[in-house]
Amino acid sequence: MTGRIWKLLGSMRFAIYLLVITALLSLVSMLVQEFLPQGIARSNLINIFGLNDPFRSWWFRSLLAVLSVSLSVCIIQRGPQMIKQAFERRFITDPALLKSMTGYIRFESADGVEEVRRRFKRLRLSVRTDSSEKLTALTGMSGGLSRIGPLLNHLGMLLLILGGLALSITGSSDTVSGAAGDTLRMPEWDFALRIDDFRIIYHPLSPNQWVEIPGGRRGKVLQIEADSAEVEISSHKEHKHSHWFPLGDLKNDFMAVQSGRSTPYQGNVSSYLTSATMIVDDSMFFEHRIEVNHPLRFHGFRFYQSSFETGGVITEVDTVTLKVQSETHGETTVKLVVDGNEVILPWGDFSLSAGKLFPDFRLDRNMQPHSASGQLVNPAVKVKVRRDCEEIGERWVFTYPFGGMREDELLINMQIVDLNVVKTTPAGYITVLNVRKDSGQWLIWMGFIFATIGLLFAYGMTHRRAWAVVERQPDSRDVVHLVIKNPRGMSLRPM
Amino acid sequence: MQQSLDINLFYFTLAAYFVGLLSFSMFAAIQRAMFHRIGAGMMLVGGILHTIAFFIRWWLSGHIPLSNMYEYLSLTGWMSVLMLLIFYFRYNRPIIGSFISPIVFMLMVAAALLPKDINQSLMPALQSIWLNIHVSLAALGAGCFLVSFAVSSVYLIKQFNPHEKIQAVFNKQIITTVICLAGIPFAFVIIASITGLKPPAPSSSIVLGKIVANWGSLFILLGLGFILSIVVLPFILHRSYNERYGSLGGWLFIVITISILLGGLVEGGLIKAGWLELTHNLSRDSHNQTIKSSWLFFEFIGFAYAAGLLLSIIIFPAVTGISRSLNNSTALTLDILDEVSYRSVSLGYPLYTVGALFAGAIWAEQAWGSFWSWDPKEVGALIIWLFYSGYLHARYQRGWKGHRAAILVVAGFLMVLISFFGNYFFGGLHTYT
């Protein structure tokens, strides 16, 4: 039974089915991910099959696991044979065996050995010779490495899957944001990052670019002359018309409203540039410019220019007042100092403490909380709850009821009812950086290297082999028996 | 607004390819060597003009011209022409030009329908050396896949014996193919109309000329049904495989596929001319740009499918005629077609793997911090890669070589198309292209 499973996992037929099934299920998963209506997200069937995120579901991961096992078995089963074929130089000394092979030719020559050598050299084969009294055997080979190409490629693919698994297990992603002058710190960092500046750099005005014309309307630049540009006004598709405007009247850094939010016109942005200084042990370590495609890498952390927010003002809050309500104890209010000490509730055995306050709470695409701006748009504070000096949990608390915390049979609901704003300062743009840390990247890089070399070997080289037996005749003429495998390499076989 | 020099050259290129296509078609019809020589010459001239246009556009834009769909498609076409010329000059197989040139021409017509504005202002994520590596290798790989698709199509057409088709009318395979490709999409529509289910349609009008009709949901359902049918078809064909009529299902698959490709081109032309506007294309943002909707994808496919069904009435006898003449041709054996298809894939596969998958993943890590995000375009590239990996494995497996491997190539190329046009419909990280 084990033998049969082993054979099945390494078989080519199984690999074909596995590849096609993975392709089709990926297609289905992609469509499910794209089209699954949000409203039915709580259905049991969807939860069981993980259809909210099909590529991270148990069945898709199982499929990848089977693919990895199949790759491993294939490498173990075929690897030694491939290596042997790549480097082994085998002599054939029996002319009858050569005769039975395809491509066999026989000819006579005054100096058979030299003639065979010449032919082998013309095909760029490396030649080895084995002589005995009556005959000389020659073997030639080139491109032997193409035999181990598939092996390296499969090994690379296996490393890529394993690397992906390692990254998904060990990877962490966080979002930090700050205006110029802010120093960012995280508990797991042994350094701090000071934001020196954040700027949005725009491309110079060019044709086909959207601009804002006087009056706040938008148009598309058709052509540019020395000091003016022709702009097509796009008020309605059927009523396009163009006008010339002085270049000074055109704004190419306007804010566009998309999905109810104002963002700089994306097509015209050249760069989002954060200048930052890394601070280690309270001294400046180095300065770095973080841009898209140019992340900052330090102590295993990687900082990516993720997005930005329009600043407005930076709000500093010192205390929050919470309304706390439980089914058994009723309702009470409690004032907490932000990032301050814990306060015992009138019920006696419970105490609360407030952690970080985000004035404009949002979740990024990795479900990491951050403050999108310094304004009090959606304030949220992280509240730690203790019972009898033992921590029972943490919860984000908002200005509206949002879930509750259950301890044994007791449901505690919390809501912010008041905030004490101590200072508001105007801010420019706020840069949003994505901070990542993971281990296992080296597996991915090794995978890329192995797989790429494997592909180069497998498809860029042709394994040519040749065998010859030269028989010395009494009349001093040699009879040559010759077989060349793959003489024309990648070309089509002759008709 | 004046057209730039590269676009004028592009139209000259298109004209040269068209003359090349006509000459190769004449060669296929009357087998006179003069025609294939003219065809090859025109393809060579077109290829040279195409290359010049590419470099002029590079010079005008200040970056490698691979930042939009037109530029990508144009480079894919260039690679297909290169493959055609390699097969013509190195392997001396002029007949191969007769079926690669139509596909190249179709691709270039599709490119001609797309916006060709030069984008001098690259967005931040595209300002990377990886743009050159990732997109160029992926486009070159796709060009090779296009050639292998054309060759595998001819393989399936040639393998079909028209004399047996009357006997085969009741063959299980042809019936299952018809049920799959025609039955499932229409079954979707019928079930939906009985149960009252409707895909979400913000507004529901298809403007065709002056006629405004409430057909948006119908085409979405047809598109959904067609996608489902191509997913289940390979399994059903495999189960009902039979040596005698082995290629019938594949042959019919090809007729439908070519019809849908042409249907898509007709649809693109209608949209370009302003005679057709799909339901989900009607909403516009503050820039008066149409807003992409994922449902538009199925609507597009559904319309192409419906147009393709109508076109297949014309294509059916044409393909049968080609099949008959191919069967009489001794210069083109199934082995040669199989070999040419394999050579094309074995050149395209490493290019696509390194370009689309590896370089793309490395670039994604630099730009967004993650090698892989299961973005629709990434998944599309993975599916294409899996299909062609399956094909390369199938080539080493007895019983899979030939007809079944050819079906895998055709299915793989359908995925290339879905992935390419998916940009217009799906969200994700690649929506800027």
mmCIF file of all heavy atoms in Angstrom, chain A residues 181-220:
data_model
loop_
_atom_site.group_PDB
_atom_site.id
_atom_site.type_symbol
_atom_site.label_atom_id
_atom_site.label_comp_id
_atom_site.label_asym_id
_atom_site.label_seq_id
_atom_site.Cartn_x
_atom_site.Cartn_y
_atom_site.Cartn_z
ATOM 1 N N GLY A 181 8.581 65.321 11.696
ATOM 2 C CA GLY A 181 8.940 65.652 13.064
ATOM 3 C C GLY A 181 8.565 64.568 14.058
ATOM 4 O O GLY A 181 9.102 64.509 15.159
ATOM 5 N N ASP A 182 7.650 63.697 13.680
ATOM 6 C CA ASP A 182 7.245 62.608 14.589
ATOM 7 C C ASP A 182 8.349 61.564 14.702
ATOM 8 O O ASP A 182 9.030 61.253 13.720
ATOM 9 C CB ASP A 182 5.989 61.906 14.065
ATOM 10 C CG ASP A 182 4.741 62.725 14.302
ATOM 11 O OD1 ASP A 182 4.862 63.786 14.943
ATOM 12 O OD2 ASP A 182 3.665 62.315 13.829
ATOM 13 N N THR A 183 8.495 61.001 15.883
ATOM 14 C CA THR A 183 9.406 59.879 16.066
ATOM 15 C C THR A 183 8.556 58.646 16.359
ATOM 16 O O THR A 183 7.769 58.637 17.300
ATOM 17 C CB THR A 183 10.391 60.140 17.216
ATOM 18 O OG1 THR A 183 11.123 61.331 16.892
ATOM 19 C CG2 THR A 183 11.365 58.990 17.382
ATOM 20 N N LEU A 184 8.709 57.644 15.515
ATOM 21 C CA LEU A 184 7.873 56.447 15.628
ATOM 22 C C LEU A 184 8.615 55.370 16.407
ATOM 23 O O LEU A 184 9.799 55.125 16.178
ATOM 24 C CB LEU A 184 7.518 55.929 14.225
ATOM 25 C CG LEU A 184 6.951 56.963 13.243
ATOM 26 C CD1 LEU A 184 6.742 56.332 11.879
ATOM 27 C CD2 LEU A 184 5.632 57.525 13.769
ATOM 28 N N ARG A 185 7.871 54.736 17.310
ATOM 29 C CA ARG A 185 8.451 53.643 18.102
ATOM 30 C C ARG A 185 7.436 52.517 18.175
ATOM 31 O O ARG A 185 6.230 52.765 18.205
ATOM 32 C CB ARG A 185 8.776 54.097 19.522
ATOM 33 C CG ARG A 185 9.971 55.011 19.609
ATOM 34 C CD ARG A 185 10.336 55.304 21.056
ATOM 35 N NE ARG A 185 11.596 56.023 21.130
ATOM 36 C CZ ARG A 185 11.719 57.337 21.010
ATOM 37 N NH1 ARG A 185 10.648 58.079 20.811
ATOM 38 N NH2 ARG A 185 12.896 57.922 21.086
ATOM 39 N N MET A 186 7.915 51.313 18.204
ATOM 40 C CA MET A 186 7.042 50.150 18.395
ATOM 41 C C MET A 186 7.671 49.298 19.489
ATOM 42 O O MET A 186 8.901 49.280 19.631
ATOM 43 C CB MET A 186 6.964 49.330 17.101
ATOM 44 C CG MET A 186 6.312 50.043 15.941
ATOM 45 S SD MET A 186 4.513 49.937 16.009
ATOM 46 C CE MET A 186 4.256 48.322 15.315
ATOM 47 N N PRO A 187 6.867 48.563 20.267
ATOM 48 C CA PRO A 187 7.436 47.781 21.381
ATOM 49 C C PRO A 187 8.523 46.809 20.927
ATOM 50 O O PRO A 187 9.498 46.576 21.640
ATOM 51 C CB PRO A 187 6.230 47.023 21.930
ATOM 52 C CG PRO A 187 5.035 47.754 21.445
ATOM 53 C CD PRO A 187 5.414 48.457 20.196
ATOM 54 N N GLU A 188 8.368 46.226 19.745
ATOM 55 C CA GLU A 188 9.335 45.202 19.322
ATOM 56 C C GLU A 188 10.589 45.784 18.661
ATOM 57 O O GLU A 188 11.497 45.040 18.314
ATOM 58 C CB GLU A 188 8.669 44.172 18.382
ATOM 59 C CG GLU A 188 8.065 44.749 17.130
ATOM 60 C CD GLU A 188 6.598 45.100 17.289
ATOM 61 O OE1 GLU A 188 6.190 45.569 18.373
ATOM 62 O OE2 GLU A 188 5.856 44.943 16.334
ATOM 63 N N TRP A 189 10.626 47.106 18.476
ATOM 64 C CA TRP A 189 11.808 47.719 17.856
ATOM 65 C C TRP A 189 12.858 48.041 18.938
ATOM 66 O O TRP A 189 12.509 48.487 20.023
ATOM 67 C CB TRP A 189 11.467 49.041 17.176
ATOM 68 C CG TRP A 189 10.506 48.950 16.030
ATOM 69 C CD1 TRP A 189 9.973 47.816 15.493
ATOM 70 C CD2 TRP A 189 9.949 50.051 15.301
ATOM 71 N NE1 TRP A 189 9.119 48.138 14.473
ATOM 72 C CE2 TRP A 189 9.084 49.504 14.322
ATOM 73 C CE3 TRP A 189 10.091 51.432 15.364
ATOM 74 C CZ2 TRP A 189 8.367 50.289 13.433
ATOM 75 C CZ3 TRP A 189 9.388 52.216 14.473
ATOM 76 C CH2 TRP A 189 8.534 51.647 13.503
ATOM 77 N N ASP A 190 14.139 47.851 18.580
ATOM 78 C CA ASP A 190 15.200 48.333 19.456
ATOM 79 C C ASP A 190 15.785 49.613 18.859
ATOM 80 O O ASP A 190 16.959 49.923 19.009
ATOM 81 C CB ASP A 190 16.286 47.260 19.655
ATOM 82 C CG ASP A 190 16.822 46.751 18.337
ATOM 83 O OD1 ASP A 190 16.296 47.178 17.279
ATOM 84 O OD2 ASP A 190 17.763 45.941 18.351
ATOM 85 N N PHE A 191 14.958 50.320 18.115
ATOM 86 C CA PHE A 191 15.358 51.574 17.476
ATOM 87 C C PHE A 191 14.106 52.438 17.338
ATOM 88 O O PHE A 191 13.004 51.995 17.702
ATOM 89 C CB PHE A 191 15.965 51.300 16.091
ATOM 90 C CG PHE A 191 15.060 50.505 15.195
ATOM 91 C CD1 PHE A 191 14.069 51.120 14.444
ATOM 92 C CD2 PHE A 191 15.176 49.110 15.120
ATOM 93 C CE1 PHE A 191 13.230 50.387 13.634
ATOM 94 C CE2 PHE A 191 14.327 48.382 14.315
ATOM 95 C CZ PHE A 191 13.349 49.011 13.576
ATOM 96 N N ALA A 192 14.296 53.655 16.866
ATOM 97 C CA ALA A 192 13.152 54.531 16.587
ATOM 98 C C ALA A 192 13.340 55.120 15.197
ATOM 99 O O ALA A 192 14.461 55.178 14.682
ATOM 100 C CB ALA A 192 13.072 55.637 17.627
ATOM 101 N N LEU A 193 12.264 55.521 14.589
ATOM 102 C CA LEU A 193 12.331 56.082 13.241
ATOM 103 C C LEU A 193 11.734 57.482 13.275
ATOM 104 O O LEU A 193 10.555 57.649 13.616
ATOM 105 C CB LEU A 193 11.551 55.191 12.264
ATOM 106 C CG LEU A 193 11.668 55.569 10.792
ATOM 107 C CD1 LEU A 193 13.076 55.236 10.273
ATOM 108 C CD2 LEU A 193 10.641 54.807 9.949
ATOM 109 N N ARG A 194 12.573 58.460 12.954
ATOM 110 C CA ARG A 194 12.066 59.836 12.946
ATOM 111 C C ARG A 194 11.698 60.244 11.519
ATOM 112 O O ARG A 194 12.489 60.053 10.587
ATOM 113 C CB ARG A 194 13.136 60.788 13.493
ATOM 114 C CG ARG A 194 12.553 62.171 13.807
ATOM 115 C CD ARG A 194 13.615 63.110 14.281
ATOM 116 N NE ARG A 194 14.554 63.428 13.205
ATOM 117 C CZ ARG A 194 15.820 63.772 13.402
ATOM 118 N NH1 ARG A 194 16.315 63.826 14.627
ATOM 119 N NH2 ARG A 194 16.616 64.069 12.388
ATOM 120 N N ILE A 195 10.478 60.726 11.365
ATOM 121 C CA ILE A 195 10.044 61.203 10.043
ATOM 122 C C ILE A 195 10.543 62.632 9.890
ATOM 123 O O ILE A 195 10.115 63.528 10.623
ATOM 124 C CB ILE A 195 8.498 61.175 9.912
ATOM 125 C CG1 ILE A 195 7.943 59.792 10.257
ATOM 126 C CG2 ILE A 195 8.062 61.617 8.514
ATOM 127 C CD1 ILE A 195 8.363 58.680 9.354
ATOM 128 N N ASP A 196 11.499 62.850 8.967
ATOM 129 C CA ASP A 196 12.034 64.197 8.749
ATOM 130 C C ASP A 196 11.156 64.999 7.803
ATOM 131 O O ASP A 196 10.986 66.204 7.956
ATOM 132 C CB ASP A 196 13.463 64.113 8.190
ATOM 133 C CG ASP A 196 14.398 63.433 9.179
ATOM 134 O OD1 ASP A 196 14.196 63.631 10.395
ATOM 135 O OD2 ASP A 196 15.296 62.697 8.750
ATOM 136 N N ASP A 197 10.626 64.282 6.800
ATOM 137 C CA ASP A 197 9.846 65.010 5.786
ATOM 138 C C ASP A 197 9.013 64.000 4.996
ATOM 139 O O ASP A 197 9.409 62.835 4.848
ATOM 140 C CB ASP A 197 10.820 65.752 4.837
ATOM 141 C CG ASP A 197 10.078 66.671 3.885
ATOM 142 O OD1 ASP A 197 8.962 67.104 4.243
ATOM 143 O OD2 ASP A 197 10.608 66.938 2.789
ATOM 144 N N PHE A 198 7.872 64.441 4.518
ATOM 145 C CA PHE A 198 7.111 63.629 3.570
ATOM 146 C C PHE A 198 6.623 64.547 2.457
ATOM 147 O O PHE A 198 6.016 65.584 2.725
ATOM 148 C CB PHE A 198 5.924 62.935 4.240
ATOM 149 C CG PHE A 198 5.059 62.217 3.234
ATOM 150 C CD1 PHE A 198 5.516 61.062 2.607
ATOM 151 C CD2 PHE A 198 3.807 62.700 2.881
ATOM 152 C CE1 PHE A 198 4.746 60.416 1.650
ATOM 153 C CE2 PHE A 198 3.032 62.054 1.931
ATOM 154 C CZ PHE A 198 3.506 60.909 1.317
ATOM 155 N N ARG A 199 6.916 64.166 1.210
ATOM 156 C CA ARG A 199 6.538 65.022 0.079
ATOM 157 C C ARG A 199 5.929 64.186 -1.031
ATOM 158 O O ARG A 199 6.301 63.014 -1.223
ATOM 159 C CB ARG A 199 7.779 65.726 -0.486
ATOM 160 C CG ARG A 199 8.072 67.046 0.202
ATOM 161 C CD ARG A 199 9.243 67.728 -0.431
ATOM 162 N NE ARG A 199 10.462 66.958 -0.243
ATOM 163 C CZ ARG A 199 11.507 67.037 -1.055
ATOM 164 N NH1 ARG A 199 11.466 67.817 -2.108
ATOM 165 N NH2 ARG A 199 12.592 66.344 -0.818
ATOM 166 N N ILE A 200 5.011 64.809 -1.755
ATOM 167 C CA ILE A 200 4.481 64.180 -2.963
ATOM 168 C C ILE A 200 5.071 64.955 -4.138
ATOM 169 O O ILE A 200 4.904 66.172 -4.235
ATOM 170 C CB ILE A 200 2.941 64.230 -2.995
ATOM 171 C CG1 ILE A 200 2.380 63.511 -1.773
ATOM 172 C CG2 ILE A 200 2.409 63.599 -4.267
ATOM 173 C CD1 ILE A 200 0.892 63.644 -1.613
ATOM 174 N N ILE A 201 5.776 64.239 -5.004
ATOM 175 C CA ILE A 201 6.433 64.900 -6.138
ATOM 176 C C ILE A 201 5.634 64.566 -7.405
ATOM 177 O O ILE A 201 5.272 63.403 -7.623
ATOM 178 C CB ILE A 201 7.894 64.421 -6.276
ATOM 179 C CG1 ILE A 201 8.653 64.769 -4.989
ATOM 180 C CG2 ILE A 201 8.573 65.040 -7.482
ATOM 181 C CD1 ILE A 201 9.966 64.052 -4.836
ATOM 182 N N TYR A 202 5.374 65.607 -8.194
ATOM 183 C CA TYR A 202 4.556 65.415 -9.396
ATOM 184 C C TYR A 202 5.402 65.447 -10.659
ATOM 185 O O TYR A 202 6.451 66.083 -10.706
ATOM 186 C CB TYR A 202 3.483 66.507 -9.476
ATOM 187 C CG TYR A 202 2.440 66.380 -8.393
ATOM 188 C CD1 TYR A 202 2.645 66.951 -7.137
ATOM 189 C CD2 TYR A 202 1.271 65.679 -8.613
ATOM 190 C CE1 TYR A 202 1.705 66.822 -6.126
ATOM 191 C CE2 TYR A 202 0.313 65.546 -7.611
ATOM 192 C CZ TYR A 202 0.537 66.120 -6.377
ATOM 193 O OH TYR A 202 -0.391 65.984 -5.387
ATOM 194 N N HIS A 203 4.901 64.781 -11.705
ATOM 195 C CA HIS A 203 5.541 64.851 -13.020
ATOM 196 C C HIS A 203 5.301 66.233 -13.620
ATOM 197 O O HIS A 203 4.274 66.867 -13.321
ATOM 198 C CB HIS A 203 4.922 63.824 -13.965
ATOM 199 C CG HIS A 203 5.307 62.414 -13.666
ATOM 200 N ND1 HIS A 203 6.580 61.929 -13.881
ATOM 201 C CD2 HIS A 203 4.589 61.377 -13.172
ATOM 202 C CE1 HIS A 203 6.614 60.655 -13.537
ATOM 203 N NE2 HIS A 203 5.424 60.294 -13.097
ATOM 204 N N PRO A 204 6.181 66.689 -14.504
ATOM 205 C CA PRO A 204 5.879 67.938 -15.216
ATOM 206 C C PRO A 204 4.649 67.734 -16.122
ATOM 207 O O PRO A 204 4.339 66.600 -16.491
ATOM 208 C CB PRO A 204 7.123 68.196 -16.063
ATOM 209 C CG PRO A 204 8.068 67.100 -15.795
ATOM 210 C CD PRO A 204 7.464 66.107 -14.888
ATOM 211 N N LEU A 205 4.010 68.833 -16.446
ATOM 212 C CA LEU A 205 2.806 68.761 -17.270
ATOM 213 C C LEU A 205 3.143 68.136 -18.632
ATOM 214 O O LEU A 205 4.134 68.481 -19.252
ATOM 215 C CB LEU A 205 2.278 70.185 -17.473
ATOM 216 C CG LEU A 205 0.832 70.326 -17.877
ATOM 217 C CD1 LEU A 205 -0.091 69.824 -16.786
ATOM 218 C CD2 LEU A 205 0.519 71.777 -18.224
ATOM 219 N N SER A 206 2.296 67.208 -19.077
ATOM 220 C CA SER A 206 2.530 66.568 -20.375
ATOM 221 C C SER A 206 1.189 66.220 -21.019
ATOM 222 O O SER A 206 0.165 66.187 -20.332
ATOM 223 C CB SER A 206 3.379 65.305 -20.187
ATOM 224 O OG SER A 206 2.668 64.380 -19.407
ATOM 225 N N PRO A 207 1.169 65.987 -22.335
ATOM 226 C CA PRO A 207 -0.087 65.645 -22.996
ATOM 227 C C PRO A 207 -0.738 64.394 -22.385
ATOM 228 O O PRO A 207 -0.045 63.537 -21.828
ATOM 229 C CB PRO A 207 0.343 65.375 -24.443
ATOM 230 C CG PRO A 207 1.590 66.138 -24.616
ATOM 231 C CD PRO A 207 2.270 66.096 -23.280
ATOM 232 N N ASN A 208 -2.051 64.321 -22.510
ATOM 233 C CA ASN A 208 -2.884 63.233 -21.985
ATOM 234 C C ASN A 208 -3.031 63.265 -20.464
ATOM 235 O O ASN A 208 -3.566 62.339 -19.876
ATOM 236 C CB ASN A 208 -2.356 61.852 -22.390
ATOM 237 C CG ASN A 208 -2.224 61.728 -23.873
ATOM 238 O OD1 ASN A 208 -3.128 62.129 -24.608
ATOM 239 N ND2 ASN A 208 -1.090 61.233 -24.327
ATOM 240 N N GLN A 209 -2.519 64.310 -19.850
ATOM 241 C CA GLN A 209 -2.573 64.388 -18.395
ATOM 242 C C GLN A 209 -3.811 65.168 -17.956
ATOM 243 O O GLN A 209 -4.241 66.090 -18.642
ATOM 244 C CB GLN A 209 -1.316 65.109 -17.942
ATOM 245 C CG GLN A 209 -1.114 65.111 -16.473
ATOM 246 C CD GLN A 209 0.133 65.891 -16.131
ATOM 247 O OE1 GLN A 209 1.204 65.638 -16.668
ATOM 248 N NE2 GLN A 209 -0.015 66.865 -15.276
ATOM 249 N N TRP A 210 -4.384 64.767 -16.837
ATOM 250 C CA TRP A 210 -5.541 65.481 -16.296
ATOM 251 C C TRP A 210 -5.062 66.685 -15.480
ATOM 252 O O TRP A 210 -4.078 66.579 -14.740
ATOM 253 C CB TRP A 210 -6.365 64.554 -15.407
ATOM 254 C CG TRP A 210 -7.118 63.550 -16.220
ATOM 255 C CD1 TRP A 210 -6.664 62.337 -16.630
ATOM 256 C CD2 TRP A 210 -8.431 63.688 -16.753
ATOM 257 N NE1 TRP A 210 -7.602 61.696 -17.382
ATOM 258 C CE2 TRP A 210 -8.718 62.499 -17.474
ATOM 259 C CE3 TRP A 210 -9.408 64.688 -16.711
ATOM 260 C CZ2 TRP A 210 -9.926 62.292 -18.129
ATOM 261 C CZ3 TRP A 210 -10.604 64.465 -17.357
ATOM 262 C CH2 TRP A 210 -10.863 63.289 -18.065
ATOM 263 N N VAL A 211 -5.758 67.809 -15.633
ATOM 264 C CA VAL A 211 -5.399 69.016 -14.880
ATOM 265 C C VAL A 211 -6.673 69.665 -14.358
ATOM 266 O O VAL A 211 -7.775 69.351 -14.810
ATOM 267 C CB VAL A 211 -4.643 70.045 -15.772
ATOM 268 C CG1 VAL A 211 -3.242 69.598 -16.069
ATOM 269 C CG2 VAL A 211 -5.420 70.339 -17.029
ATOM 270 N N GLU A 212 -6.470 70.543 -13.390
ATOM 271 C CA GLU A 212 -7.608 71.333 -12.898
ATOM 272 C C GLU A 212 -7.516 72.708 -13.549
ATOM 273 O O GLU A 212 -6.459 73.356 -13.491
ATOM 274 C CB GLU A 212 -7.542 71.445 -11.377
ATOM 275 C CG GLU A 212 -8.813 72.023 -10.786
ATOM 276 C CD GLU A 212 -8.780 71.954 -9.257
ATOM 277 O OE1 GLU A 212 -9.115 70.891 -8.709
ATOM 278 O OE2 GLU A 212 -8.381 72.959 -8.652
ATOM 279 N N ILE A 213 -8.627 73.111 -14.175
ATOM 280 C CA ILE A 213 -8.634 74.415 -14.848
ATOM 281 C C ILE A 213 -9.291 75.440 -13.926
ATOM 282 O O ILE A 213 -9.928 75.057 -12.934
ATOM 283 C CB ILE A 213 -9.366 74.334 -16.204
ATOM 284 C CG1 ILE A 213 -10.808 73.842 -15.982
ATOM 285 C CG2 ILE A 213 -8.626 73.456 -17.185
ATOM 286 C CD1 ILE A 213 -11.673 73.930 -17.207
ATOM 287 N N PRO A 214 -9.140 76.736 -14.228
ATOM 288 C CA PRO A 214 -9.774 77.736 -13.359
ATOM 289 C C PRO A 214 -11.270 77.446 -13.221
ATOM 290 O O PRO A 214 -11.935 77.096 -14.191
ATOM 291 C CB PRO A 214 -9.535 79.052 -14.115
ATOM 292 C CG PRO A 214 -8.303 78.802 -14.928
ATOM 293 C CD PRO A 214 -8.345 77.359 -15.295
ATOM 294 N N GLY A 215 -11.747 77.561 -12.030
ATOM 295 C CA GLY A 215 -13.152 77.249 -11.775
ATOM 296 C C GLY A 215 -13.330 75.883 -11.144
ATOM 297 O O GLY A 215 -14.436 75.465 -10.822
ATOM 298 N N GLY A 216 -12.220 75.168 -10.988
ATOM 299 C CA GLY A 216 -12.276 73.887 -10.293
ATOM 300 C C GLY A 216 -12.681 72.709 -11.156
ATOM 301 O O GLY A 216 -12.804 71.594 -10.660
ATOM 302 N N ARG A 217 -12.875 72.914 -12.478
ATOM 303 C CA ARG A 217 -13.228 71.788 -13.334
ATOM 304 C C ARG A 217 -11.964 71.095 -13.822
ATOM 305 O O ARG A 217 -10.867 71.640 -13.775
ATOM 306 C CB ARG A 217 -14.074 72.267 -14.507
ATOM 307 C CG ARG A 217 -15.444 72.760 -14.051
ATOM 308 C CD ARG A 217 -16.152 73.494 -15.161
ATOM 309 N NE ARG A 217 -16.544 72.582 -16.221
ATOM 310 C CZ ARG A 217 -16.892 72.973 -17.447
ATOM 311 N NH1 ARG A 217 -16.861 74.257 -17.757
ATOM 312 N NH2 ARG A 217 -17.268 72.101 -18.348
ATOM 313 N N ARG A 218 -12.152 69.841 -14.321
ATOM 314 C CA ARG A 218 -11.000 69.065 -14.778
ATOM 315 C C ARG A 218 -11.003 68.916 -16.290
ATOM 316 O O ARG A 218 -12.059 68.918 -16.918
ATOM 317 C CB ARG A 218 -10.990 67.663 -14.165
ATOM 318 C CG ARG A 218 -10.431 67.632 -12.782
ATOM 319 C CD ARG A 218 -11.546 67.826 -11.814
ATOM 320 N NE ARG A 218 -11.108 68.290 -10.522
ATOM 321 C CZ ARG A 218 -11.350 67.628 -9.400
ATOM 322 N NH1 ARG A 218 -11.963 66.487 -9.433
ATOM 323 N NH2 ARG A 218 -10.990 68.154 -8.272
ATOM 324 N N GLY A 219 -9.836 68.755 -16.849
ATOM 325 C CA GLY A 219 -9.726 68.540 -18.288
ATOM 326 C C GLY A 219 -8.459 67.774 -18.610
ATOM 327 O O GLY A 219 -7.607 67.561 -17.757
ATOM 328 N N LYS A 220 -8.384 67.338 -19.866
ATOM 329 C CA LYS A 220 -7.243 66.536 -20.306
ATOM 330 C C LYS A 220 -6.381 67.377 -21.252
ATOM 331 O O LYS A 220 -6.916 67.969 -22.200
ATOM 332 C CB LYS A 220 -7.764 65.300 -21.020
ATOM 333 C CG LYS A 220 -6.751 64.242 -21.300
ATOM 334 C CD LYS A 220 -7.479 63.067 -21.931
ATOM 335 C CE LYS A 220 -6.523 62.009 -22.385
ATOM 336 N NZ LYS A 220 -7.232 60.954 -23.116
#
